[in-house]
Amino acid sequence: MIRQAIRRVFGIMTETLKRTTSYELLEVPAKKPKLIPMGINEEKAGITQFINPNVVGFSGSLKTLYSDFQVNEIEPNGNVVHLTDMGIDVGPTKKELRMQERAKFREEIAGKTEEEIAEIKAKRWEEKEEEKKAESEESKKHDISDEDREELLKYVTSAELSQIEALFTSGGNMETETTFDDKQQRTELHQLVRRIFDGKLETVTSPENKFRIAIGTKRSRKPRQQQESMHHIDENGMVNYGLGPYKPYLHFTLYKQNRDTMEVANNMAKLLRLNNRFINYAGTKDRRGATCQKFSIHNGKVLRVNGLNKLTKHGFTLGSFSYEDYPLKLGDSNGNQFTIVIRDAQTVDGKGDVEATVSSCFESLKKNGFINYFGMQRFGSFSVSTHEYGKLLLTLNWEEFIEVLLSEQDAVAPASAEARRVWAETRDPEQALAVLPHYFVAETAILKTLRHETQNADKKYSKNAYLKSIQAIPRNLRMMYVHAYQAYVWNRVASKRIELYGMSLVEGDLVFEDSQQVLDEDVAYVNDAKVKALTKEDIESGKYTIFDVILSSAGYKIQYPANETLRNVYIETMAKDGLDPFKMARNIKEFSMTGTYRKLMAQANSLSYNIVKYSDDEKPLIRTDLELLQIKQETNEDVPRLIPNEEGGDKLAVVLQMQLGVSSYATMALREFMRIDTSRYREGLCK
């Protein structure tokens, strides 16, 4: 029941926001949902308008199964990232070979007497001894080609070369009579001996610059290709398993299910024993779903990274390896393709024609697009919105920020409730930490800092102590609070802009002078872009549409709309919070908001939908990339992603596919498509 309930919890949250709040989702029953309102509503997040108020919407449940929400990254060249293979085939590991051998032995001795089993064991032992002897004899042989012999004779004499070759039968070591005073020459000879004799010989330079050569240890004699060399060459001459010459960055496709992007990256770093900074990706993807995206690893060895595919418990699969000269970085994508199942689709009154209603909603979304709001996941799921914390940071209210963050609240993550109660009663950081799960990152950072600070008689701290504890929170989490406040103000202005002027252009609207702008890591347009305010002549020229209009997020390096009414929305909204949009610089640099630009409207591209009949909510309606690949490998047939209608199905599901730019939220597209409030309940997009 609990697992089913979690599947119905509405949890489309960006990776950074999840890390900021570190909150667990509230569990609700799956079969008979108890509708529990949580967190702030859309109006408090500044989301109030729809583009076509005449369209009647429909309700439904989202993310019932992981496969119901699929996200595929779109590369800058427009290619949609899919899992097309499950890595390179390097054959069975030593462990797998041992397991195969044991299974074969068990099969061989099944039903045998003790005497027969003893005989079989003796025979196998003899065979292994023969193999070892053969390997030993083989290791004493080493024929070199005429070309290699000629190359060696450029450095050593014929007698010395004969002594080197004799080492394979006589053992021991030898020292050349020839001296090598030139460092470059010594380096070349070291490399030449290592290559020609497959690492079976060890070479060192004596104090007199002569070469000492001996049979290598077992470890040093291991062929380089078996040591996960950057330049693996197999027996057929294939370089790096077909990837070609090694380059500084290993790129690959990551398929994951019910895993955070950052969680997967951290697990990879631990398993590969790498620093997190060597692992890069273009953007984060939803946890509750099945997603595909590109990753890159600096100095990644394909053999090691590919080996992660054997660790299925980690919930991800890797494929499409390639070596490249460049790393991925945040923003290196052109958006995402979404395939979303909305189950139990019903009209608002429960009586209308569902298919006709969905068709009407679809046509409106296709024609008009949607308001490019920052989605509710930007503001958290609990009593205190993330943007409220941002307001406190921007107004320099350090003490209030901490007291609110640690306070008891009506709607809060259950796992943190006990720690909040302890803090309220004792004001003791040590006691609160003892009952607080470590994954509450911000709260843990604060309490760990405060336990080393001095309290006054009222059990409060100095202003500097409060600031120090805030600065102990990881920077990306701190910045998420203030970015949420910027998003709140932007949403307020966007709502008023649509309420007053609708889809019409008005004088003073801002647009980019250059339509091709670069995105930053916060999926908003950079603040140094060149913008202009539309004039009457610009509007009459027909050059611009509502999809060119941009709005500023509050900051000191951006230009606000020239339209006086909209400028006043910024002023009035922020004045209620004790802030001034024209005074966003702070002495503390990270809380000095430069501001960004963001498109007012967004469009869903490559838009399509299907209506599917079904009866069982536990059965998938679409196949994931991994399932499609597995079916292909097993049957050598391509099957569609959409699973055919179930005969006698008494429920309807809508399967929506669309592509969105990196600065757009899928929830806001769904909001416009379904005409529903995405904040009313947290167990799906329900009526």
Side-chain angles (χ1 to χ4, degrees), residues 547-569:
F547 293 101
D548 294 309
V549 175
I550 57 176
L551 288 178
S552 325
S553 67
Y556 66 85
K557 282 187 68 176
I558 47 84
Q559 180 178 333
Y560 290 98
N563 181 294
E564 195 66 27
T565 301
L566 291 184
R567 288 172 72 89
N568 285 334
V569 177

Side-chain angles (χ1 to χ4, degrees), residues 513-580:
E513 288 189 9
D514 179 2
S515 61
Q516 300 298 320
Q517 294 294 334
V518 180
L519 297 175
D520 74 0
E521 65 182 54
D522 192 40
V523 296
Y525 290 91
V526 292
N527 53 46
D528 57 356
K530 293 182 179 180
V531 302
K532 62 174 289 185
L534 291 181
T535 63
K536 181 180 179 182
E537 290 73 22
D538 289 327
I539 296 171
E540 292 175 347
S541 72
K543 180 180 178 181
Y544 301 97
T545 72
I546 191 65
F547 293 101
D548 294 309
V549 175
I550 57 176
L551 288 178
S552 325
S553 67
Y556 66 85
K557 282 187 68 176
I558 47 84
Q559 180 178 333
Y560 290 98
N563 181 294
E564 195 66 27
T565 301
L566 291 184
R567 288 172 72 89
N568 285 334
V569 177
Y570 285 96
I571 295 170
E572 293 167 5
T573 298
M574 296 180 66
K576 294 177 183 177
D577 297 321
L579 291 165
D580 185 337

Side-chain angles (χ1 to χ4, degrees), residues 35 37 70 73 76 78 110 142 154 165 218 241 285 305 366 382 389 430 455 492 529 555 570 628 640:
L35 304 182
Q70 299 184 21
E73 191 170 76
H142 196 93
K154 293 179 180 178
E165 292 181 287
K218 184 176 180 181
Y241 303 96
K285 300 289 176 282
V305 179
K366 184 176 181 180
F382 299 96
Y389 294 116
E430 286 286 4
Q455 290 178 315
R492 283 275 180 223
Y570 285 96
L628 290 172

Side-chain angles (χ1 to χ4, degrees), residues 112-122:
K112 298 290 194 299
T113 65
E114 290 186 12
E115 292 78 8
E116 290 172 327
I117 292 175
E119 186 178 341
I120 292 172
K121 286 183 176 179

Side-chain angles (χ1 to χ4, degrees), residues 167 171-174 199-204 212-217 220:
L167 292 174
N173 59 75
M174 62 83 64
K200 295 177 181 178
L201 297 179
E202 290 182 344
T203 58
V204 295
R212 291 174 181 168
I213 306 175
I215 292 291
T217 63
S220 68

Side-chain angles (χ1 to χ4, degrees), residues 331-400:
D332 280 351
S333 79
N334 200 28
N336 298 289
Q337 177 172 282
F338 296 86
T339 306
I340 302 170
V341 176
I342 305 165
R343 292 177 183 258
D344 196 19
Q346 300 179 33
T347 56
V348 174
D349 59 8
K351 299 177 181 178
D353 185 333
V354 175
E355 296 193 30
T357 300
V358 172
S359 177
S360 176
C361 290
F362 177 82
E363 291 303 323
S364 177
L365 178 63
K366 184 176 181 180
K367 177 183 177 182
N368 302 311
F370 59 97
I371 305 170
N372 199 28
Y373 285 125
F374 288 94
M376 291 302 297
Q377 55 267 45
R378 191 82 169 195
F379 305 99
S381 305
F382 299 96
S383 294
V384 181
S385 167
T386 311
H387 85 273
E388 293 288 346
Y389 294 116
K391 176 189 72 176
L392 295 174
L393 292 180
L394 291 171
T395 54
L396 312 184
N397 286 310
W398 315 132
E399 179 181 351
E400 187 177 355

